[in-house]
Amino acid sequence: MNTDDSNADPPQRGGSKRTRAVKRVTMTDVAQLAGVSQSTVSVVLNGTAGIKIARETHERVAEAVRTLNYRHQKSLPRRGTGIRQIAMIFDQIATSPEPVVSIDGAREEAWNTGHVVSAYQTYNDPEMEPRTIDLVLRNRVDAIIYATVMTRQVVVPEPLYNAGIPVVLLNCFSADRHFPSVVPGEVAGGMSATKALTDAGHRRIAHITGEMWMDAARDRLRGYREALAQADIPYAPELVHEGNWQPSAAYEHTKALLQLPDPPTAIFCANDRMAVGCYEAVKEIGLRIPEDISVVGYDDEEVARHLSPRLTTIVLPHRAMGRWAVEKLLDGAALGHEKYHVVKLECPLIERSSVAPPRLVTAGRRRRV
């Protein structure tokens, strides 16, 4: 759900720490450039004992580090005799990869000051969540990140208001804005995805949404509509189909869209998994991506890099959000008593090979505009 009165979610600009968190080169960037997993990069940079990595792989990682000017920082020595700990309390972790990415981003930032990051899963259980929070506070942690797997408004448990330590909300926000909060800029992400298609010259752009009870689906649709308006393209309701985040739904919706009397020349899928179903339907009909129809996804899941052609998509900034949360906790600003604005981090566009200028349908054949 959008939480301010603006018409879009602007990326953070200026010289603030939050901008650097978004733009900072990460271990993931190194892994992508080197063509290896993030685990391999970690083993190479940390010199992990007992694991043998081929010399050629070492060289590729080293070259990627030099090219990106990546600075790898190991944790600082622990100060004093106690463990310096930041607790992350999630409603769910195991159901989605995004929480793990947030945890890793928080860990990257926390280790710079010698803090250990611990993660807890509560499922919002009315008995176990209070017990978990009580345990965390008894462990005398330095700070707490309260997080959700889905971007949404939450009712923050009362003990966190009286914890006496910094608390930050990650991927969620509260109505009273009592705590610093960070979420993805989903409206701006939807705009960027659609703008990639309008910039390529498309005017018949379909959108397969997620489930509309979710904030992310509604905000991505809002971004789609605003990008059309900016390009002076009328909104066409027949081009918007509600999906359910799964490939099978997008497969059926894509076939229906391409059977319209005036079919779309491009489709924006609200996540990459639906883009998989979209690809299958397009190819089954006998069309080619991007020669006949362009496709953009969202989330930058691993599958986006392995589709043929590789999928242009939007990155969810969960790693940057984890780093931002720790930065906010450690700079002391999270202990104030002011009302905080919900910070929305940029969802960058990753341009790959699934977008091209549109073709016009003439006498049963398509030709490039």
Side-chain angles (χ1 to χ4, degrees):
M1 180 181 297
N2 197 31
T3 58
D4 60 23
D5 297 326
S6 64
N7 291 326
D9 300 43
Q12 302 297 324
R13 294 184 173 87
S16 66
K17 288 183 178 180
R18 71 186 64 156
T19 300
R20 292 196 296 273
V22 173
K23 300 300 183 183
R24 182 180 298 165
V25 175
T26 68
M27 194 178 291
T28 301
D29 299 319
V30 174
Q32 290 181 353
L33 183 59
V36 299
S37 69
Q38 185 175 322
S39 298
T40 298
V41 174
S42 178
V43 168
V44 171
L45 296 183
N46 289 308
T48 305
I51 300 179
K52 295 182 178 180
I53 301 293
R55 180 182 296 276
E56 179 186 354
T57 303
H58 271 274
E59 292 173 351
R60 291 210 313 273
V61 171
E63 178 62 27
V65 167
R66 287 192 296 270
T67 300
L68 296 174
N69 195 28
Y70 174 69
R71 297 185 179 182
H72 178 59
Q73 292 179 296
K74 296 184 179 181
S75 58
L76 300 179
R78 176 167 51 87
R79 303 171 188 172
T81 57
I83 296 175
R84 297 161 58 82
Q85 183 181 174
I86 295 173
M88 299 186 74
I89 303 175
F90 275 90
D91 56 353
Q92 297 180 50
I93 296 176
T95 59
S96 177
E98 285 82 7
V100 176
V101 177
S102 296
I103 292 169
D104 204 37
R107 188 269 311 162
E108 288 176 356
E109 191 66 29
W111 281 15
N112 291 336
T113 53
H115 284 80
V116 171
V117 173
S118 56
Y120 301 81
Q121 180 174 245
T122 70
Y123 286 101
N124 289 134
D125 186 276
E127 292 188 8
M128 294 309 298
E129 183 173 83
R131 292 185 183 184
T132 302
I133 292 173
D134 181 63
L135 172 65
V136 167
L137 294 175
R138 287 176 183 272
N139 285 342
R140 303 180 65 84
V141 299
D142 293 324
I144 293 174
I145 299 172
Y146 186 78
T148 58
V149 67
M150 291 189 301
T151 307
R152 61 187 177 90
Q153 182 172 308
V154 295
V155 176
V156 179
E158 189 63 30
L160 296 184
Y161 284 86
N162 305 311
I165 56 175
V167 175
V168 165
L169 307 184
L170 188 150
N171 206 36
C172 56
F173 54 93
S174 60
D176 61 10
R177 300 193 179 187
H178 183 80
F179 302 97
S181 306
V182 62
V183 300
E186 298 279 24
V187 175
M191 290 181 67
S192 295
T194 309
K195 189 174 184 297
L197 297 169
T198 61
D199 285 351
H202 293 275
R203 295 188 62 83
R204 290 285 289 175
I205 301 170
H207 179 38
I208 302 175
T209 76
E211 295 169 287
M212 294 306 293
W213 61 268
M214 296 178 64
D215 291 355
R218 292 196 300 270
D219 283 352
R220 292 173 195 182
L221 173 60
R222 179 181 169 190
Y224 160 82
R225 295 192 64 163
E226 294 190 7
L228 293 182
Q230 287 187 3
D232 199 25
I233 299 173
Y235 174 70
E238 72 275 11
L239 293 181
V240 176
H241 286 212
E242 182 175 347
N244 61 4
W245 308 111
Q246 299 305 316
S248 57
Y251 171 85
E252 297 297 338
H253 287 308
T254 299
K255 292 183 72 174
L257 286 164
L258 294 178
Q259 290 169 4
L260 290 172
D262 186 10
T265 62
I267 300 177
F268 164 31
C269 296
N271 74 342
D272 294 341
R273 278 172 286 175
M274 289 199 297
V276 172
C278 177
Y279 268 51
E280 291 178 357
V282 168
K283 292 178 180 179
E284 184 176 297
I285 290 172
L287 300 178
R288 296 174 299 168
I289 302 171
E291 291 84 358
D292 299 309
I293 187 164
S294 293
V295 180
V296 172
Y298 205 109
D299 291 350
D300 194 33
E301 293 189 30
E302 182 69 21
V303 67
R305 292 181 283 277
H306 298 288
L307 289 172
S308 180
R310 296 193 307 157
L311 179 66
T312 293
T313 187
I314 299 290
V315 177
L316 280 171
H318 286 284
R319 184 178 301 276
M321 287 162 55
R323 299 191 73 125
W324 182 95
V326 171
E327 286 183 341
K328 197 71 174 178
L329 291 170
L330 297 182
D331 70 11
L335 262 177
H337 300 287
E338 58 185 291
K339 286 188 179 292
Y340 296 93
H341 292 293
V342 178
V343 172
K344 299 174 181 178
L345 295 190
E346 180 183 7
C347 299
L349 174 73
I350 303 297
E351 297 183 69
R352 295 195 176 102
S353 310
S354 62
V355 175
R359 291 176 182 266
L360 291 180
V361 178
T362 304
R365 301 181 64 184
R366 291 179 177 245
R367 62 179 177 83
R368 184 75 64 196
V369 172

